[in-house]
Structures are given as C-alpha cells and as structure tokens.
C-alpha cells in the first residue's frame, strides 16, 4: 500500500469516521471542478486570478457546461473566449471516475467497476425498468459497518468517496446512456424513453453507509438536484441508511430526499446480530427518528428494507411484529422485501418463495404495502449486497503475506525447539 493512499482507519464496528477533506488538487496541481459548489467554482477562478465579476460570470457558464451539457473540455465551451480555453485547461480539470470494467446483465442491469484517482475500486449499477431507470450510487469504497449478510461489509479497505466521485457516477451514467440534453433542450427528469434507458431515479444504495459520509453525500446530492444542472428532483432520490440515528434528522432537513431504512429485523437479538449498528442505536431510537423524519408523510413514505433470511428473520411472528412496530410509531411506511442475494461464503440462505409470500401477505393484511423486490443483475453480481471489489483482494494478499510470515516464525520456533 503506498504511503499517500487515503484509507480510513477502520474504526470499531459502529463508529462514524471523520470525513472532512479539502477540495482536490490533482497530482499535476490542477483543480478538479466536478463536485465543487457553484460558489466554490467562483472562488477557485478568483484564486487563479480572474477578477470577481468575471469569475462570477465564468462560474455560471462553466457550471452550465459541466452539469447541463456534460462537457469535459474547456475548448467546447463556446460562450467563453477561445483565448481563455488554454488558461482554464492549464489550471482546472473536469473528470469522470475511471471505468475499469462495464458489464451488462441478461436482464439489462448494468454494472460499472470504477476507480478513484488514488487507485481504489468502487461500483455503480443502473437498473432499467418499465417506467423508470434507477442508478444505484456508492458513497464509500467498502463499508465500515459489518452487516453479516452484506458482501460490501466484508471489504477490508474503506474510504469515503469525494463529492466529485459521487456526482461523477451520475455524470458517467449520463455519458454511458447518451442522455445529456442537446443544445437548447431543457434538463428533464420526467421523460422516459421507450427503450427504458432514461436515468430518472437515484438510490444511495451502492457501496457504503451514506450517513457516515454525510458532508460529501450532501454536497454531491445538492449538485445532482440543482435546477441549473443535473436537475433531478428530491422526490426521485432515495438515501438508504442502516440506521445512523444522529444523522437522520440532518439528512431530512439539509438534503430532503426520500428515506429508506435497512431494518431487516424486529427484535434486538436478531438485529444486533445481523445489523451490528443496532447495538449502538436500537430499534426504538431508530423508529423514533423515522417518525420525526422531516418531509415524511403518506405521500412520501419511508421505505423499510427487509432482507429475507431463511430461519433468521422470516417467521409469521416477525411479520406481525413488523406491522405492530410500524403502527405503534405511526409511521408512513412501505416495506420492501428483498430476497437475500447470495455471495461466496455467505452465512445465510434466502427464505423460500412460500415463506416470503406468507410474510408479505401478513404485512399487506396489516394495511401496509410490502412488495417483494425482484433481484436484478444477479448474474453480474450487481444485486443488493453483492457489490464488492478487488480492494478486498489486495488486503487478502496482505493477509496471505502476514500468514506466510507467521508460518515462517512458527517454523523458526519449531526449529529452535
Ligand atoms: N449502507 C446502506 C446502503 C447500502 S445497502 C444500508 O445499509 O442501508 C442497500 C440495501 O441492500 C440495504 O438495505 C442492505 O441491507 C441490502 N443488502 C445488503 N446485502 C444484501 C444481500 N446480500 N441481499 C439482499 N439485500 C442486501
Ligand atoms: Fe454497510 Fe449497508 Fe452493507 Fe450494512 S448493508 S455493511 S451498512 S453497505
């Protein structure tokens, strides 16, 4: 591992990691403009020598080119004097995450393996449906939490993604889907093409816990929602959390997107085991925070995600308790039942189809919607909880080296005996 790599210290299983990092300079000294707020672009231009009035105008123009038209070259910015293109190129860059691999599933789901500028891998997934196209965006490389059913949680190396790397996923998807508006066209998040490829929705459900990277996720989503740019409505964006209770109110107030909560169990015993953050913020605290979530109402319900694990959390009694809890806390809720997606070495099996049906029926009978989510992109390991990159392989190599060193030491002891 190189000395300048920016890995986080891996904290205890439930502690947040510090996230603050300044705007990025590339190795060549140029400043990355993607991920900066409008004002930050203006300040960067001033810092590079433009007078305040010109910096303000140029920032507005550049913002439009970056986020409305998807431009990555200053030379294409036709309303900026040609003479300035070279100067801008020498000072600034507009980049996309590097694509290492792009895969397409038999069901049309696409997965991209991406790499940060300092060499860490992460993934994004696009899921086309009959009436929408959803991009599943990552917030971290790996995840510091260790939910026992989630492959991402087994990754050893973790770092927060920068705003540029988060918003960059959306921009890359627009590139790949050929969906930047043409000259004179308005940005639209409501039209959907008949080939089912328009990116209409975003879910923060890729790798990582978004509320452990709050500042960067907030900055990135503000850019995604900006009407002069990507222009996606907050109603089409959903943030999923495993239950970082102290950040939930801020997420509602400061970002304002839809909330999904990875509940997955209704008793302390089972949730402590499968979603270990529960030991820190229990079910009562979590559901109280849900009841107080700003903006949640019957028209904008909170989604409770519930992974179906055979003989672990899937009994009729669990389903009845789930209904009771939702009613007790008076939550505007819907439940998403997710069949467990297996991964090599996973300690669980998916509940039977019959069990899932019975569980779902009980919730429906309680007056709560409980659709069973169809797994998508399983053949390319793109389904919920299957995201995991070679970052782990690197650390496995480290482990192998350590094991070899231990063996040598043991041999040494053996020889000495
Ligand atoms: N860290 C966030 C968001 C990413 S996970 C969170 O936990 O909410 C997105 C969803 O996929 C979560 O509900 C997660 O619990 C679920 N998930 C994880 N592993 C899974 C698996 N193997 N099968 C099915 N769903 C899984
Ligand atoms: Fe992290 Fe979410 Fe996976 Fe839990 S389910 S390990 S919080 S990504």
């Amino acid at each position: 591992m190189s000395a300048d790599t920016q890995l986080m210290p891996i904290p205890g299983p439930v502690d947040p990691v510090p996230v603050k990092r300044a705007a990025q300079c590339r190795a060549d000294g140029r400043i990355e403009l993607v991920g900066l707020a409008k004002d930050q672009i203006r300040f960067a231009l001033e810092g590079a020598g433009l007078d305040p009035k010109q910096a303000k105008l140029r920032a507005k123009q550049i913002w439009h080119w970056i986020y409305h038209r998807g431009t990555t070259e200053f030379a294409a910015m036709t309303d900026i004097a040609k003479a300035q293109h070279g100067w801008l190129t020498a000072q600034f860059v507009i980049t996309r995450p590097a694509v290492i691999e792009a895969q397409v599933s038999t069901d049309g789901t696409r997965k991209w393996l991406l790499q940060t500028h300092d060499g860490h891998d992460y993934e994004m997934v696009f899921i086309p449906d009959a009436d929408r196209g959803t991009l599943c965006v990552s917030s971290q490389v790996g995840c510091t939490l260790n939910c026992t059913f989630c492959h991402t949680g087994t990754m050893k190396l973790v770092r927060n993604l920068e705003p540029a790397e988060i918003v960059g996923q959306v921009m890359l998807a627009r590139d790949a889907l050929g969906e930047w508006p043409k000259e004179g066209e308005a940005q639209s998040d409501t039209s959907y093409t008949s080939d089912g490829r328009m990116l209409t929705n975003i879910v923060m459900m890729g790798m990582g816990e978004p509320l452990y990277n709050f500042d960067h996720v907030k900055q990135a989503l503000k850019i995604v929602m900006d009407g002069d740019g990507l222009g996606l409505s907050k109603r089409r964006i959903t943030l999923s959390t495993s239950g970082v209770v102290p950040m939930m109110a801020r997420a509602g107030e400061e970002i304002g997107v839809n909330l999904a909560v990875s509940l997955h169990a209704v008793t302390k015993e089972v949730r402590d085991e499968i979603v270990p953050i529960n030991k820190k913020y229990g079910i009562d605290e979590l559901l109280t925070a849900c009841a107080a979530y700003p903006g949640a109402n019957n028209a904008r319900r909170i989604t409770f995600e519930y992974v179906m694990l055979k003989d672990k959390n899937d009994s009729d009694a669990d389903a009845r308790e789930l209904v009771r809890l939702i009613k007790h806390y008076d939550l505007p809720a819907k439940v998403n039942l997710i069949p467990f997606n297996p991964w090599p070495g996973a300690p669980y099996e998916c509940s039977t189809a019959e069990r899932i049906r019975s569980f779902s029926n009980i919730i429906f009978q309680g007056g709560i919607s409980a659709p069973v989510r169809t797994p998508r992109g399983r053949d390319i390991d793109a389904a919920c909880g299957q995201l995991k990159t070679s970052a782990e392989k690197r650390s496995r190599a480290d482990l192998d080296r350590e094991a070899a060193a231990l063996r040598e030491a043991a041999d040494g002891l053996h020889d000495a005996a």
Side-chain angles (χ1 to χ4, degrees):
M1 216 178 294
S2 68
D4 64 347
T5 196
Q6 296 148 338
L7 297 180
M8 292 177 168
I10 307 293
V14 292
D15 284 321
V17 279
V19 295
K20 285 264 188 228
R21 292 177 63 222
Q24 292 296 296
C25 260
R26 301 278 126 175
D28 62 8
R30 292 190 293 172
I31 293 172
E32 174 62 72
L33 291 183
V34 176
L36 297 187
K38 253 183 221 163
D39 279 352
Q40 289 174 316
I41 296 185
R42 177 158 61 91
F43 297 145
L45 291 169
E46 277 185 39
L50 292 192
D51 67 66
K53 200 162 152 244
Q54 206 190 147
K56 192 170 172 199
L57 172 67
R58 292 284 178 253
K60 191 164 180 265
Q61 292 167 315
I62 290 172
W63 180 274
H64 179 85
W65 282 108
I66 294 179
Y67 293 114
H68 190 89
R69 299 290 299 281
T71 306
T72 54
E73 303 290 338
F74 293 103
M77 300 183 181
T78 47
D79 55 358
I80 295 178
K82 268 199 184 133
Q84 217 168 44
H85 291 169
W87 179 82
L88 284 166
T89 307
Q91 315 274 336
F92 302 106
V93 281
I94 303 163
T95 50
R96 296 283 189 268
V99 177
I100 303 298
E101 199 183 349
Q103 288 175 278
V104 184
S105 156
T106 48
D107 69 12
T109 300
R110 298 166 171 226
K111 182 172 88 169
W112 288 265
L113 174 61
L114 309 175
Q115 194 166 65
T116 63
H117 58 85
D118 55 347
H120 301 299
D121 296 345
Y122 61 110
E123 292 179 329
M124 71 171 191
V125 174
F126 179 70
I127 308 149
D129 268 309
D131 59 346
R132 66 173 65 185
T134 306
L135 187 69
C136 183
V137 171
S138 290
S139 57
Q140 297 182 310
V141 172
C143 184
T144 55
L145 296 168
N146 301 105
C147 303
T148 47
F149 51 85
C150 174
H151 210 190
T152 307
T154 66
M155 278 176 66
K156 301 290 185 296
L157 303 184
V158 180
R159 96 147 160 75
N160 280 335
L161 290 175
E162 300 290 336
E165 293 158 349
I166 299 170
V167 77
Q169 294 171 63
V170 182
M171 301 171 83
L172 196 64
R174 278 255 163 102
D175 292 347
L177 302 172
E179 290 181 341
W180 291 104
K182 309 279 173 304
E183 198 171 347
E185 267 179 15
Q187 219 40 283
S188 161
D189 69 354
T190 51
S191 54
Y192 193 82
T193 54
S194 56
D195 62 358
R197 286 180 52 194
M198 184 81 174
L199 195 177
T200 57
N201 291 57
I202 290 181
V203 291
M204 296 302 301
M205 291 187 189
M207 302 170 101
E209 169 49 58
L211 295 188
Y212 273 178
N213 187 12
F214 184 83
D215 291 347
H216 293 177
V217 166
K218 174 181 163 183
Q219 173 134 344
L221 290 182
K222 290 274 178 205
I223 293 172
V224 170
M225 292 187 282
D226 189 295
D228 296 334
L230 292 160
L232 249 99
S233 150
K234 65 180 183 179
R235 287 166 203 285
R236 292 177 174 273
I237 303 176
T238 301
L239 183 150
S240 175
T241 181
S242 56
V244 184
V245 169
M247 301 308 288
M248 284 169 57
R250 281 190 65 193
E253 278 153 20
E254 299 175 30
I255 311 177
V257 294
N258 303 322
L259 181 69
V261 171
S262 294
L263 190 62
H264 302 317
V266 290
T267 64
K268 174 168 170 51
E269 191 199 350
V270 177
R271 196 162 192 269
D272 275 358
E273 178 192 329
I274 68 177
V275 187
I277 194 175
N278 195 64
K279 291 182 207 150
K280 188 153 190 175
Y281 311 113
I283 294 175
D284 174 50
E285 268 177 276
L286 176 59
L287 297 182
T288 304
C290 289
Y293 187 73
N297 53 46
N298 284 337
R300 275 185 93 196
R301 293 171 184 276
I302 296 174
T303 305
F304 287 98
E305 294 160 282
Y306 201 99
V307 62
M308 299 301 297
L309 304 174
K310 190 175 185 183
D311 299 332
K312 179 53 73 180
N313 63 357
D314 63 352
S315 70
D316 285 352
D318 288 321
R320 283 192 290 270
E321 177 61 4
L322 182 52
V323 172
R324 191 194 69 78
L325 284 171
I326 288 172
K327 295 204 162 150
H328 178 76
Y329 289 89
D330 199 17
L331 296 166
K334 57 185 175 196
V335 174
N336 245 340
L337 298 177
I338 318 174
F340 169 65
N341 291 308
W343 36 273
Y348 300 107
E349 277 177 65
C350 183
S351 311
T352 61
E354 197 189 355
R355 188 88 297 283
I356 297 177
R357 216 173 308 123
S358 170
F359 197 97
S360 166
N361 283 343
I362 291 172
I363 300 169
F364 269 117
Q365 279 154 18
I368 300 156
S369 152
V372 181
R373 228 200 257 170
T374 316
R376 298 292 302 269
R378 268 189 181 176
D379 55 334
I380 55 166
D381 288 342
C384 293
Q386 290 188 318
L387 303 186
K388 174 165 182 168
T389 67
S390 57
E392 197 262 350
K393 285 184 202 139
R394 283 199 290 271
S395 94
R396 179 62 49 77
D398 286 344
L399 288 177
D400 288 346
R401 270 194 297 279
E402 279 164 33
L406 276 174
R407 267 197 306 276
E408 268 173 37
D411 285 345
L413 281 177
H414 187 74
D415 290 343

